[in-house]
């Protein structure tokens, strides 16, 4: 088993400024703080991958920038031009919603992230590695063709999926999004496309506002090929395990994709400031095992995980390490926080959680 891994130092230079999501105004007593999506959290994850020795079991895949043609498979020329223009300004710009500021040079970094998603997908599809984790930054899963949103500039996972279909001869793709926020970008981009199954498990109505409801199921020829699992607040490892066993695994089994892509956010973690779920490293291992086994069943194991959100600088590195260990089938380090984070309760499947998951599970029967 060989697992690809990708990180570039420049991802750690994505400048998100201060404030913007939280108020920052010294004049009225709102203390400035780094933006919640400051790249240090992901840089720390990369450092743990290295210092733990896990890196010695992984195959480094070289980052490379996405071309204009590759970005244009998802985004409009006008949007890309705006990002390029604002990225040349001394103080940068914003991806589109006012909470997604970026500094000078952001286009180059975001295009490298999107191109790296493609590079990892090519490495997996060509068989150079069996599966892979691309620790890209900034995130991408909220970005739409004509605008960025929720800290995202270019939709990395959608760009990788479009590339796999256009250039790599991959016919059926499943995108599983376990970031705690809804994977609205891929849902919208592939809404009418039955050759891309999109499954998003997220906290109900966390972000974007009123997005990711259970009755959003794709449109036209894509009807049934989008499944949302909007988890109630307070779901722990038990609820996530049940969702993996009752919906994610069976949906992938029924659809039988040739390639599985994952929008891998670690913000369902129990220490995350932007959401109210209780997932520990055990939960991320369960999710990872579910997609590994599904990819093995229909896709010759072809599986690519792309980094999305995750905002606890303490816990995200251990969540990432546990996930990549499971991908690679090697174990170098236990989660030292599990006794604390996992010992606080909240991990048994509750009836209201089961009821919601069961509603999504009923949709699996409609997949062909
Ligand atoms: N507003 C992401 O993790 C981005 O999915 C999530 C962006 C969420 C912003 C909305 C939000 C708050 C919260 C607390 C207080 C005030 C406002 F795209 C990814 F980066 F992956 O949490
Ligand atoms: Zn998120």
């Amino acid at each position: 088993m060989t697992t690809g891994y990708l990180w570039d130092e420049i991802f750690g230079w994505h400048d998100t400024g201060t404030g913007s999501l939280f108020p920052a105004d010294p004049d009225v007593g709102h203390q400035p703080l780094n933006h919640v999506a400051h790249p240090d959290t992901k840089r720390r994850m990369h450092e743990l991958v290295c210092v733990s020795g896990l890196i010695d079991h992984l195959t480094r895949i070289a980052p490379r920038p996405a071309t204009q043609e590759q970005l244009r498979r998802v985004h409009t020329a006008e949007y890309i031009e705006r990002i390029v223009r604002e990225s040349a300004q001394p103080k940068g710009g914003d991806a589109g919603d006012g909470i997604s500021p970026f500094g000078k040079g952001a286009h180059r970094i975001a295009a490298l992230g999107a191109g790296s998603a493609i590079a990892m997908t090519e490495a997996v599809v060509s068989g150079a590695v069996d599966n892979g984790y691309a620790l890209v930054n900034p995130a991408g899963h909220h970005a739409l063709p004509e605008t960025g949103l929720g800290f995202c500039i270019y939709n990395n996972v959608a760009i990788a999926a479009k590339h796999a279909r256009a250039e790599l001869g991959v016919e059926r793709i499943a995108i599983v999004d376990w970031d705690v926020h809804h994977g609205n970008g891929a849902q919208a981009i592939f809404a009418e496309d039955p050759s891309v199954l999109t499954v998003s498990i997220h906290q109900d109505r966390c972000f974007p506002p009123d997005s990711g409801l259970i009755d959003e199921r794709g449109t036209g020829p894509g009807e049934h090929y989008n499944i949302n699992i909007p988890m109630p607040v307070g779901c722990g490892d038990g609820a996530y395990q049940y969702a993996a066993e009752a919906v994610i695994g069976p949906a992938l089994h029924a659809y039988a994709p040739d390639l599985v892509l994952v929008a891998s956010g670690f913000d369902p973690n129990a220490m995350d400031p932007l959401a109210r779920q209780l997932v520990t490293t055990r939960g991320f291992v369960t999710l990872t095992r579910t997609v590994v086994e599904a990819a093995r069943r229909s896709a010759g194991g072809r599986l690519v995980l792309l980094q999305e959100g995750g905002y606890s600088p303490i816990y995200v590195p251990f969540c990432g390490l546990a996930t990549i260990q499971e991908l690679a089938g090697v174990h170098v380090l236990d989660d030292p926080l599990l006794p604390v984070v996992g010992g606080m309760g909240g991990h048994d499947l509750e009836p209201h959680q089961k009821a919601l998951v069961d509603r999504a599970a009923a949709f699996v029967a409609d997949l062909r």
Side-chain angles (χ1 to χ4, degrees), residues 233-284:
V233 293
C235 287
D237 293 338
Y240 268 76
Q241 181 180 340
Y242 185 62
E245 286 170 359
V247 189
I248 303 173
L252 295 181
H253 191 47
Y255 186 70
D258 306 316
L259 169 68
V260 179
L261 302 178
V262 175
S264 166
F266 295 123
D267 40 15
N269 89 71
M271 298 179 73
D272 202 276
L274 290 194
R276 292 293 175 271
Q277 303 299 27
L278 300 172
V279 177
T280 74
T281 46
R282 285 182 311 218
F284 292 110

Side-chain angles (χ1 to χ4, degrees), residues 141-142 150-151 179-182 207 265-268 274 308-311:
H141 73 146
H142 299 308
F151 322 155
D179 186 283
V180 82
H181 304 100
H182 178 224
F207 185 85
F266 295 123
D267 40 15
L274 290 194
E308 298 287 351
Y311 305 99

Side-chain angles (χ1 to χ4, degrees), residues 269-319:
N269 89 71
M271 298 179 73
D272 202 276
L274 290 194
R276 292 293 175 271
Q277 303 299 27
L278 300 172
V279 177
T280 74
T281 46
R282 285 182 311 218
F284 292 110
V285 166
T286 300
L287 288 165
T288 306
R289 191 173 297 151
T290 302
V291 291
V292 165
E293 281 169 7
R296 243 181 233 145
R297 269 198 306 264
S298 70
R302 287 187 290 270
L303 169 66
V304 175
L305 274 61
L306 303 173
Q307 185 66 46
E308 298 287 351
Y311 305 99
S312 166
I314 299 292
Y315 204 36
V316 162
F318 292 113
C319 296

Side-chain angles (χ1 to χ4, degrees), residues 35 37 95-97 99-100 139-143 148-153 207-208 311:
H35 192 284
D97 56 359
I99 63 167
S100 312
H141 73 146
H142 299 308
L149 188 69
F151 322 155
C152 300
I153 300 179
F207 185 85
Y311 305 99

Side-chain angles (χ1 to χ4, degrees), residues 79-114:
Y79 173 61
I80 300 166
E81 273 163 32
R82 179 174 74 77
I83 296 299
V84 168
R85 195 168 57 242
E86 291 185 16
S87 292
Q89 298 295 315
K91 299 215 157 148
D94 187 281
D97 56 359
I99 63 167
S100 312
F102 55 75
K104 191 168 186 303
H107 165 75
R108 177 176 160 200
I109 300 172
L112 192 71

Side-chain angles (χ1 to χ4, degrees), residues 63-80:
R64 63 160 195 262
T67 64
Q68 188 75 13
E69 184 191 357
Q70 290 164 348
L71 295 175
R72 287 276 282 120
R73 290 200 185 101
V74 166
H75 297 286
T76 64
E78 295 72 26
Y79 173 61
I80 300 166

